[in-house]
Amino acid sequence: MIDKKNIHKLFCLHYSEMIHLAKTLLYDDEEAEDAVQDVFARLIESDILPADDKAKAYLMTAVRNGCINRIKQKTLAEQFRELYSLDAVSDWQHAEQRMTN
């Protein structure tokens, strides 16, 4: 298991830059905090720490990729909602036409 002191050290050193990147990409403070938290959660679960000279690059890349995945998921959800709402409107219009005929 990874030593919590090492994770805490990484957190203290890189959190501000990570959160800044996430907020820049997501435009949402809560989503940004979740994205950064996910990176550290996955890091703890993986049981492997990046080398000291590569830690910043690793963490920033992980945040960027996590944010991109969140944006893709959000985009797909928005597309689904749009299609669903269009179907609901057309169903409502058909029902209204039947009632008037």
Side-chain angles (χ1 to χ4, degrees), residues 25-67:
L25 293 172
L26 297 173
Y27 300 106
D28 184 332
D29 292 351
E30 289 180 21
E31 285 264 351
E33 290 174 10
D34 289 345
V36 173
Q37 185 179 27
D38 287 348
V39 170
F40 283 104
R42 277 185 270 124
L43 192 62
I44 291 169
E45 289 174 2
S46 73
D47 220 18
I48 298 171
L49 282 176
D52 288 338
D53 60 335
K54 306 279 189 217
K56 180 179 177 182
Y58 174 86
L59 294 171
M60 297 300 279
T61 301
V63 168
R64 183 199 65 204
N65 292 342
C67 290

Side-chain angles (χ1 to χ4, degrees), residues 45-92:
E45 289 174 2
S46 73
D47 220 18
I48 298 171
L49 282 176
D52 288 338
D53 60 335
K54 306 279 189 217
K56 180 179 177 182
Y58 174 86
L59 294 171
M60 297 300 279
T61 301
V63 168
R64 183 199 65 204
N65 292 342
C67 290
I68 289 170
N69 288 340
R70 286 174 181 270
I71 291 168
K72 285 180 185 177
Q73 289 173 351
K74 190 181 288 186
T75 303
L76 288 174
E78 288 170 358
Q79 289 174 354
F80 177 78
R81 271 189 245 113
E82 261 183 43
L83 290 172
Y84 180 74
S85 66
L86 290 176
D87 287 344
V89 168
S90 66
D91 290 344
W92 176 77

